Amino acid sequence: MNRYLVLIVLSLAVFSVFSDFVGAEVGERQLYEMPRTQVIPIQDSQFDRQYELYIKLPEGYDENSKKEYPVIYFTDAVWHIDMLSACTEYLMKDVVLVGISWQKDINGDLMKERGAHVSRFRDYSIRKSSNLERQAKYQFGQANHHLNFIRNDVIKYVENSYRIDPNNRTYFGYSMGGKFGAYILLTQPETFKNYIFGSPSLKGEFSIISELTSNTVPKRKPFNANVFVSYGSEEKVLGEYVDKFIGILRAKNDKNLYLMHVVVEGDHQAAFPMTGVRSISWLSGLTMDKE
């Protein structure tokens, strides 16, 4: 009798495990959500454009009610948050990440034609296109407006809503986002304390970048910033313009500008994750030095 009872119990156990396995296979799939991350809608108050902020808080944020945290703001939020999240989890845990999305309510036909990222052509570019048709379509050259949105809406919202150290802001931008970061440094350098430019695409607008670094610019503000600049070893043409940009910055002999230049292995795509690791390691070192 006991033998049969044992067989029955074992049979039921095997069936239960099998049922759970099958259920797991055919059950409803769920999207993975990044822990401690919020998506916050935000409006450009000047132009009534809708964006989103991807805000990731560090572990223990709710328990440390009096602690203020450094913050990393970055463009192209969807493309960059995974990499920056992974890097900071290992290299710089006590930091708030704030990703700024592309415009959400942009013209639907334009979005279908060029993709959800189409607003970056307008927001990260410094000058208008000489092609009137392209200019009318994409509205190039609104970096100054996007910078005002970040300064007046994004930063104010973040610092009013979270425990942020206003003296320890970092900007991270890659490719066109890196060029936009260079524009911020040259026009409103006090916006951030630390700047990270990965493979900044300076070629098309280098003449304007050069003008912005000219000694003839009235009322030039001191940089007073830490700047990390990198590009891939295979990015020959892009690298030439980045080297020129670095040379111009160094020629200023600004004692308040700490410049780190790194060439990482790979082309434009491969250089991105390498830049993320190297730059966050560099940024973490700056933070530890202050402590």
Side-chain angles (χ1 to χ4, degrees):
M1 181 69 179
N2 290 337
R3 182 185 303 175
Y4 290 115
L5 181 60
V6 171
L7 288 174
I8 292 172
V9 171
L10 289 175
S11 298
L12 289 174
V14 171
F15 177 77
S16 176
V17 171
F18 178 75
S19 299
D20 290 342
F21 176 76
V22 173
E25 286 294 306
V26 300
E28 183 179 354
R29 298 178 181 178
Q30 298 181 357
L31 294 176
Y32 173 76
E33 295 183 359
M34 185 175 290
R36 308 187 307 277
T37 304
Q38 308 163 353
V39 180
I40 309 294
I42 189 168
Q43 182 182 35
D44 181 335
S45 58
Q46 184 178 6
F47 291 97
D48 193 26
R49 297 167 179 165
Q50 297 296 323
Y51 293 81
E52 289 179 341
L53 301 180
Y54 290 32
I55 301 177
K56 182 178 182 183
L57 301 176
E59 187 173 0
Y61 177 88
D62 292 333
E63 287 72 33
N64 298 312
S65 60
K66 296 182 180 180
K67 183 174 181 178
E68 291 187 339
Y69 293 83
V71 57
I72 302 174
Y73 294 87
F74 55 99
T75 49
D76 299 313
V78 173
W79 289 346
H80 297 351
I81 190 168
D82 290 337
M83 185 273 296
L84 290 175
S85 174
C87 289
T88 52
E89 282 290 333
Y90 283 92
L91 300 173
M92 192 177 178
K93 290 185 177 181
D94 288 340
V95 67
V96 173
L97 297 179
V98 179
I100 305 167
S101 79
W102 308 303
Q103 184 183 345
K104 306 298 292 184
D105 58 343
I106 202 165
N107 179 277
D109 292 335
L110 196 60
M111 189 179 295
K112 287 181 181 179
E113 179 183 338
R114 295 304 301 265
H117 61 280
V118 65
S119 63
R120 73 196 298 264
F121 302 134
R122 176 197 68 209
D123 290 344
Y124 305 167
S125 58
I126 305 171
R127 70 176 179 184
K128 297 180 179 180
S129 172
S130 58
N131 184 312
L132 297 182
E133 183 178 351
R134 281 175 54 79
Q135 179 59 32
K137 188 174 185 178
Y138 296 108
Q139 300 293 305
F140 295 105
Q142 296 192 32
N144 59 326
H145 297 318
H146 199 57
L147 175 54
N148 288 336
F149 162 59
I150 291 174
R151 287 170 59 90
N152 299 329
D153 296 316
V154 174
I155 291 177
K156 284 185 179 179
Y157 170 80
V158 170
E159 294 187 355
N160 286 335
S161 304
Y162 302 91
R163 297 193 310 278
I164 299 299
D165 180 358
N167 298 312
N168 201 350
R169 304 181 197 134
T170 297
Y171 173 86
F172 179 100
Y174 193 80
S175 193
M176 287 187 69
K179 175 182 65 179
F180 177 61
Y183 173 79
I184 300 174
L185 175 68
L186 297 175
T187 57
Q188 300 286 349
E190 76 286 356
T191 305
F192 301 98
K193 179 62 180 175
N194 312 299
Y195 289 84
I196 298 171
F197 309 145
S199 297
S201 53
L202 303 175
K203 179 182 177 181
E205 297 181 293
F206 190 77
S207 60
I208 295 182
I209 293 292
S210 298
E211 291 174 9
L212 292 174
T213 58
S214 172
N215 290 326
T216 61
V217 175
K219 297 181 180 179
R220 169 168 299 287
K221 299 177 181 179
F223 289 121
N224 192 28
N226 306 304
V227 180
F228 179 102
V229 187
S230 69
Y231 58 84
S233 57
E234 298 178 25
E235 298 186 275
K236 301 302 182 184
V237 176
L238 181 148
E240 290 178 6
Y241 284 91
V242 175
D243 286 342
K244 291 179 182 179
F245 172 63
I246 292 171
I248 292 173
L249 291 180
R250 284 178 171 162
K252 298 299 178 186
N253 292 319
D254 189 332
K255 295 181 180 180
N256 294 314
L257 176 66
Y258 169 50
L259 184 63
M260 172 65 74
H261 175 209
V262 175
V263 178
V264 299
E265 186 178 351
D267 59 12
H268 196 66
Q269 284 68 38
F272 172 66
M274 298 294 291
T275 294
V277 173
R278 295 288 295 274
S279 64
I280 298 302
S281 178
W282 167 82
L283 184 62
S284 176
L286 292 179
T287 302
M288 287 189 293
D289 289 343
K290 291 178 180 179
E291 295 177 350

